[in-house]
Amino acid sequence: MRPSHVLLAVLVAAVWGVNFTVIELGLDHFPPLLFSALRFLAAAVPAVFLVGRPKVAWKWIVAVGLVLGVAKFGLLFVGMDAGMPAGLSSLVLQIQAVFTALFAFAVLGERPAGIRLVGMAVALAGIGVAAVDEGASGPLGAFALVVAAAACWGVSNVLTRRAAPPDALNFMVWVSTVPVLPLLALSLLVEGPSRDLEALRGLDWQGAGTVLYVAWITTVFGFGAWGLLLRRHPASTVAPFSLLVPVFGMSSAALFLGESVTPLRWGAAALLVGGVALASVTPRRRQAATGSAELVRRAGSLARDSRRATSVGATAEESAR
């Protein structure tokens, strides 16, 4: 990767990590489900009018919108509102890599290699250590909600792979249109109209800033830049940068929110990040097979181009005669 792309990958990881601190600040202004609905509303409008028509079938947009937007972010915001610390949330969500591998095996038949199984076991051990640490100082129910959010993220990853969107930004913007009404309905039902109206009437610059950050900076810029990197480089080169997200998440929470990081939590972070790194490794044989398939595809394309050029040349020669 060129240095500018490395810096962009680190910047996206920093944006996504700091996002958890911003969510924590936003929850001081909004009920969690309303906050999540506003996040997607701001991400979708006006961007939906600028990115063009959807480039995948609507069934995938709706499915990912419900699982990622309503379930994953709804559970995450409710869990954080119930007492799950921002820094720990940024760490625990990384277990989505394990859920993704499990669901990909169950749905897509992708059998994880031995090193990935070891990584998944290590990451799960990290979740166990984090649960022990949280159980000693915070509500385990909130912890469970964030783990459930990570599971929903894993499901949405598998759905996204099935959808295979050619443009990540276009896909994410259209996905953002789906959760708005369901989240607003859930907010009215669970949090109540009076609480929602009170939050909207008391909207100030800090509350508006948190909505714009999680919508435009985290969603539109973050996913757009990440999609650009994935189009320019192999996923195995780009994906490891996501392991920096909990580093920035825990650091920003400690710096701006005063969250303490216990030795047990550092241990959980080491296990979880290390396990996710191992679980993200692509076996050499699969890399070689992928590379060979790509070479064959390119060779076939060159052959077709060569035949086409020969045909055009022959036609031109015949015309000249």
Side-chain angles (χ1 to χ4, degrees), residues 21-212:
T21 295
V22 176
I23 291 172
E24 190 71 43
L25 295 173
L27 290 172
D28 291 335
H29 297 266
F30 307 100
L33 294 174
L34 175 64
F35 186 22
S36 190
L38 293 174
R39 172 251 179 93
F40 284 108
L41 177 62
V45 181
V48 73
F49 300 108
L50 305 176
V51 297
R53 299 180 64 180
K55 299 181 180 179
V56 299
W58 268 103
K59 65 179 181 180
W60 299 118
I61 293 173
V62 172
V64 174
L66 292 176
V67 175
L68 180 69
V70 179
K72 183 255 184 173
F73 280 104
L75 289 168
L76 172 64
F77 280 39
V78 171
M80 291 181 65
D81 187 62
M84 184 68 168
L88 186 58
S89 296
S90 71
L91 176 65
V92 169
L93 269 186
Q94 298 309 308
I95 200 66
Q96 58 83 19
V98 175
F99 285 117
T100 300
L102 292 173
F103 296 142
F105 171 66
V107 177
L108 305 178
E110 297 181 0
R111 185 179 296 274
I115 190 169
R116 286 189 168 183
L117 291 174
V118 172
M120 290 162 63
V122 172
L124 289 173
I127 286 293
V129 173
V132 171
D133 179 59
E134 182 64 10
S137 58
L140 275 178
F143 183 93
L145 287 173
V146 175
V147 173
C152 292
W153 193 0
V155 174
S156 74
N157 286 339
V158 173
L159 290 171
T160 301
R161 289 183 64 177
R162 291 292 299 271
D167 185 335
L169 178 59
N170 174 281
F171 182 67
M172 195 61 207
V173 168
W174 280 103
V175 163
S176 296
T177 64
V178 175
V180 178
L181 291 180
L183 284 169
L184 283 175
L186 285 172
S187 179
L188 290 172
L189 182 65
V190 176
E191 296 162 344
S194 59
R195 189 179 175 193
D196 287 351
L197 286 174
E198 182 182 358
L200 293 174
R201 286 171 180 167
L203 182 65
D204 58 13
W205 66 269
Q206 187 180 56
T210 60
V211 172
L212 292 177

